[in-house]
Amino acid sequence: MKRPRLSREDWTDLALKILGDNGPEGLTVEAVCKAAERTRGSLYHHFADIDALLIGVLERWREKHTDDVIETVERNRTSLAGKAMSLNTLAFSLDSNVERNARRLVARRPQLRHLVADVDARRIRYLVELMQRDAGIEQVQAELLAQIEYAAWIGFLHLEPEPDRKR
């Protein structure tokens, strides 16, 4: 029986899991193809080369770990307190290994750094927007507070060694 063809999204989801589980060292074409039980040709149908796959992985990370989180917060909460609680809950439910390993990946591949920088900027912009729109904090102060809050979260991810922490 013929297996269904994997979509680009299927490949990037699988590669994102491998990145989280095995770090950038383990994210190879061979590892992704083995996990998918598919040939290299199947992967190369969607990605021209390893860099294209890595770009796809980091774009998928942005979608799942940033865009989807923001959409969920905006859809489900009306008050600032509710949004803050929802955002914090969602942020701490993300796989911290994926977060750390995305940064480790771009340290090894500087040509991809802009993708992580874009995620960081998007997250900080959203925090600024929440502070301005929902708390009435003026722009300069909101930007500073957002940068501090985001830096604290990123720092926590690097201090906390256990990804399966219970809070």
Side-chain angles (χ1 to χ4, degrees), residues 19-81:
L19 176 64
D21 292 347
N22 302 320
E25 307 82 13
L27 183 54
T28 64
V29 168
E30 293 78 17
V32 176
C33 290
K34 182 178 179 183
E37 298 179 341
R38 300 294 198 280
T39 65
R40 294 169 73 100
S42 297
L43 182 132
Y44 287 128
H45 175 76
H46 296 283
F47 304 97
D49 55 26
I50 186 67
D51 283 337
L53 173 63
L54 296 177
I55 289 168
V57 167
L58 291 173
E59 288 172 345
R60 190 70 175 140
W61 166 65
R62 183 202 68 236
E63 290 168 12
K64 293 178 86 167
H65 287 233
T66 303
D67 299 340
D68 290 355
V69 168
I70 291 170
E71 288 173 21
T72 300
V73 170
E74 287 298 310
R75 183 176 55 247
N76 295 332
R77 301 288 181 220
T78 56
S79 71
L80 177 61

Side-chain angles (χ1 to χ4, degrees), residues 6 19 22 28 33 36 51 56 70 89 115 124 126 131 140 157 161 165:
L6 295 180
L19 176 64
N22 302 320
T28 64
C33 290
D51 283 337
I70 291 170
T89 300
L115 296 165
I124 291 169
Y126 181 64
M131 290 177 193
V140 173
L157 291 177
R165 62 192 178 272

